Amino acid sequence: MTESASTGGTAPLTSSLKMLRLLEEIAKTSGPFGVSEIARRVGGSRSMVHRQLVTLVAAGWLATDAQGAYTLTFSPVRLGQAALRHASVDQRITAVLTRIADGLGEGTSLGTIDGDAVLIVGRGLPQRNVHVSLAHGQRFSLEGSALGSVLAGYLDAPERRRMRAAGIELPSETACAKVRDEGYAMLIDDEFDPIEVVAVPVGRTPGRVRFALSAHWPQGRAKPDHVLSTLEAGARAIEDLTEQSAGLLLS
């Protein structure tokens, strides 16, 4: 079946198809890339690919560093979230979050980076009443939060440099290295009542972690080691769900 036949006889926009194919190739890169490299991958002219990349930078989908290399921003995560909803994976992720919350008796949160902040994209609440400090859709700083420490810690170093150069507040490089070494972030939020928070990455490969999972509870009510092991198991379950969804969407 031809592309025009599959769309009811209306021919697709060739320029849009080329841009989408470019994005597919960019998704296969493991770090910053140059114009020549990506032009070679898509088989396009360097000048045309450069214009496409500049367009994606203007749209906020790509960023450039001091050396002129390009990197993906986190804007595409929104499409990924929509894809999860369309595949009903978000419902299964919510079920995992709720199951963890019930097991711990505490609230759980799933966060991602949205521009210069952490965005809460999933919540799990236990059956018993608990204090809820985070809501779905809430945004807050990457610096000074357990979720932000994990998400920033597992960014590629060039992406952290780009964000710092743009004036975005991030945890220190020492703090980011500590998160990667230990595999989690833990803090006590004592702005009001002291709250203990633990967050873990969904995945462990720097540059590939797009989500972090956390739980919080009044200080002293839960054992951090038990919470940590439970969250790590939950993170693996969520990672499996997102990978399965990606496989279905790419097949």
Side-chain angles (χ1 to χ4, degrees):
M1 180 181 293
T2 64
E3 288 177 324
S4 59
S6 66
T7 54
T10 301
L13 292 172
T14 302
S15 59
S16 297
L17 287 175
K18 289 180 178 179
M19 183 70 83
L20 291 171
R21 287 166 183 158
L22 176 68
L23 282 170
E24 289 175 354
E25 285 302 319
I26 291 172
K28 298 175 185 177
T29 62
S30 58
F33 58 88
V35 178
S36 297
E37 173 192 351
I38 207 71
R40 185 170 59 253
R41 288 190 180 210
V42 299
S45 69
R46 191 181 188 283
S47 60
M48 178 56 71
V49 170
H50 181 247
R51 290 181 63 187
Q52 291 174 316
L53 295 175
V54 168
T55 300
L56 290 170
V57 170
W61 282 56
L62 294 179
T64 55
D65 60 22
Q67 287 72 46
Y70 294 86
T71 56
L72 272 170
T73 67
F74 277 78
S75 291
V77 170
R78 297 174 186 171
L79 279 183
Q81 283 293 304
L84 295 179
R85 289 195 299 273
H86 288 199
S88 298
V89 175
D90 63 325
Q91 297 174 11
R92 285 178 279 171
I93 289 176
T94 298
V96 172
L97 295 173
T98 301
R99 185 171 68 247
I100 299 169
D102 279 335
L104 294 174
E106 310 293 350
T108 59
S109 302
L110 188 69
T112 189
I113 294 180
D114 181 31
D116 61 351
V118 177
L119 172 68
I120 299 300
V121 295
R123 294 283 290 117
L125 295 174
Q127 294 183 11
R128 74 174 185 180
N129 291 329
V130 296
H131 173 72
V132 178
S133 59
L134 297 176
H136 193 289
Q138 184 174 340
R139 300 173 81 251
F140 52 89
S141 174
L142 286 155
E143 199 278 326
S145 65
L147 285 170
S149 293
V150 169
L151 291 167
Y154 279 88
L155 286 173
D156 281 332
E159 178 65 7
R160 286 198 302 274
R161 288 196 294 270
R162 182 196 70 79
M163 294 176 74
R164 292 187 199 279
I168 299 173
E169 294 187 357
L170 298 177
S172 69
E173 285 301 305
T174 299
C176 288
K178 184 174 185 289
V179 167
R180 291 192 301 276
D181 288 342
E182 297 182 347
Y184 66 91
M186 183 180 298
L187 61 81
I188 296 177
D189 182 354
D190 57 4
E191 183 177 358
F192 300 105
D193 296 327
I195 298 293
E196 293 182 76
V197 187
V198 174
V200 300
V202 177
R204 287 297 178 94
T205 305
R208 296 291 184 179
V209 172
R210 293 293 178 261
F211 302 98
L213 174 64
S214 73
H216 63 275
W217 62 94
Q219 188 175 16
R221 188 163 75 181
K223 294 182 178 180
D225 288 346
H226 171 61
V227 174
L228 181 59
S229 62
T230 303
L231 287 179
E232 288 174 337
R236 289 192 295 272
I238 292 172
E239 183 180 15
D240 288 344
L241 285 172
T242 56
E243 287 182 351
Q244 290 168 13
S245 176
L248 289 172
L249 294 169
L250 293 173
S251 61

